[in-house]
Amino acid sequence: MKKLPLNYKYINLIITIALFCGLFGVGSGLYTGFFSLQVLLNMLIDNAFLIITSIGMTFVLIIGGIDISIGSVISLVCMLSAYLLEMKHLSPFVVIPAMLLLGSFFGLAQGSLIHFFKMQPFIVTLAGLFLARGLCYLISIDTIMITDPLYQIAATYRIPFLFGTAISVSVIIALIVLLAALYLANFTKFGRTAYAIGGSEQSAMLMGLPVARTKILVYTLNGFCSALSGIVFSFYMLSGYGLHAVGLEMDAIASAVIGGTPLTGGVGFITGTVFGVLIQGVIQTLIMFQGTLSSWWTKIAVAFLLCLFIVLQRVIVAQKDSKKSIA
């Protein structure tokens, strides 16, 4: 029987999806009530903000870059939104677009510095991390609660779904971002150029692709996703605080890597990133159902999975190189 050809770049994605299904199956077998559509939807509700920002991070990793400022940008958006809504009494219809513009400008500035001044993405976004976190404390060192009616409705309203289940407004926003990202990555010149830059920036330039514009747009898109994630996080927390979303950038990077996006660029899967987030969600849910373990076990499990997937990626690359040398 003839074997179906299997592209190496899809192996990580297949393993990620199988791992999620396996963990969900284990939970369903161990705990009563785990095998439920609402449990699955709750993972989306609790991690909608992480899905949005992880999708932006995936685009950055595809071009071979990195952005460690997103957690601070999310915190800044939460804090500034709370300040403008509660202290300045501005309408949310003014605040939300303003926050999206702020995040996009933040990404645009970082992308421009990285490209035009040939600066390391890690250093530029590290500066962005400190800047955004510092601005949070410039606004206030205390928590600012959000009591705006629109935010309250977005936080509590549930949209009826199948079989008596329900989802939140945040899930709808995350799904729209997911569909838009899938279209951008797979059906546009922007997406193809991003993959080409990650494969080899020099080759992309020689092919006449708009490298500068695409790199800056990718960081701008990531800034927009961070700001949108910050708004969704505001719905979730209903407050602004300088310590919100500390370390969230690492969760986003881990989700993308577990989902099959290597740090070397050129390859990446938006769908895989979503499953990477859901794997973290199912681990959290397993710990919650278990009842005695600390939530820090989620971090330990993610650390183990991260090492496993990085080793797997290296093995895949080594096998590809070996096949090329034989050919």
Side-chain angles (χ1 to χ4, degrees):
M1 183 182 289
K2 189 177 178 181
K3 289 184 179 178
L4 288 173
L6 179 61
N7 195 324
Y8 277 107
K9 69 179 183 180
Y10 294 116
I11 291 177
N12 267 354
L13 177 63
I14 293 168
I15 292 174
T16 301
I17 295 173
L19 180 62
F20 170 75
C21 295
L23 287 171
F24 194 79
V26 169
S28 302
L30 288 176
Y31 304 111
T32 305
F34 195 98
F35 187 71
S36 155
L37 180 59
Q38 190 60 60
V39 169
L40 192 62
L41 293 175
N42 286 343
M43 293 180 205
L44 289 173
I45 293 170
D46 293 337
N47 294 286
F49 60 91
L50 183 56
I51 289 174
I52 295 168
T53 197
S54 297
I55 286 172
M57 179 64 81
T58 304
F59 278 98
V60 173
L61 294 179
I62 285 172
I63 65 166
I66 198 161
D67 187 348
I68 61 169
S69 68
I70 57 173
S72 298
V73 173
I74 290 170
S75 179
L76 176 62
V77 167
C78 288
M79 180 61 94
L80 194 55
S81 298
Y83 176 77
L84 293 176
L85 289 166
E86 302 300 323
M87 304 297 177
K88 299 297 178 183
H89 305 292
L90 292 182
S91 163
F93 296 106
V94 174
V95 172
I96 291 175
M99 292 303 103
L100 294 176
L101 280 175
L102 172 72
S104 301
F105 178 76
F106 207 89
L108 173 69
Q110 291 191 137
S112 300
L113 285 171
I114 289 166
H115 181 75
F116 292 117
F117 293 92
K118 309 295 180 192
M119 295 171 72
Q120 288 293 322
F122 182 87
I123 299 301
V124 172
T125 55
L126 179 65
L129 180 155
F130 287 129
L131 174 63
R133 191 69 69 180
L135 287 173
C136 289
Y137 291 108
L138 201 62
I139 297 167
S140 174
I141 58 171
D142 299 319
T143 302
I144 303 176
M145 301 305 296
I146 298 176
T147 58
D148 181 83
L150 183 69
Y151 276 64
Q152 294 279 346
I153 291 170
T156 56
Y157 184 70
R158 290 293 179 266
I159 301 163
F161 197 60
L162 300 172
F163 311 116
T165 58
I167 55 175
S168 66
V169 174
S170 301
V171 173
I172 298 294
I173 296 171
L175 291 177
I176 292 171
V177 172
L178 170 62
L179 292 176
L182 285 171
Y183 177 75
L184 267 180
N186 299 302
F187 300 105
T188 65
K189 184 180 178 183
F190 169 79
R192 289 191 292 274
T193 306
Y195 281 105
I197 292 170
S200 170
E201 186 172 334
Q202 189 69 25
S203 299
M205 289 181 71
L206 291 173
M207 286 190 291
L209 296 174
V211 172
R213 186 177 67 193
T214 306
K215 279 182 73 175
I216 294 170
L217 279 177
V218 164
Y219 278 97
T220 306
L221 174 65
N222 187 44
F224 175 85
C225 288
S226 300
L228 185 59
S229 176
I231 292 165
V232 170
F233 197 72
S234 301
F235 296 159
Y236 191 70
M237 301 297 289
L238 287 176
S239 67
Y241 183 45
L243 286 178
H244 275 342
V246 170
L248 194 70
E249 57 276 356
M250 299 306 164
D251 291 337
I253 293 170
S255 299
V257 172
I258 290 171
T261 304
L263 297 178
T264 48
V267 178
F269 303 97
I270 304 298
T271 311
T273 297
V274 174
F275 274 97
V277 173
L278 290 178
I279 283 176
Q280 296 189 55
V282 78
I283 293 170
Q284 289 168 354
T285 308
L286 279 168
I287 289 170
M288 189 180 71
F289 270 75
Q290 200 275 340
T292 59
L293 290 175
S294 163
S295 61
W296 283 106
W297 279 98
T298 307
K299 301 293 182 189
I300 294 168
V302 169
F304 172 76
L305 289 175
L306 203 53
C307 292
L308 179 70
F309 277 83
I310 288 173
V311 170
L312 184 65
Q313 286 168 8
R314 293 306 306 163
V315 170
I316 291 170
V317 170
Q319 285 195 344
K320 283 174 68 179
D321 291 344
S322 172
K323 281 201 169 186
K324 281 182 183 175
S325 62
I326 292 171

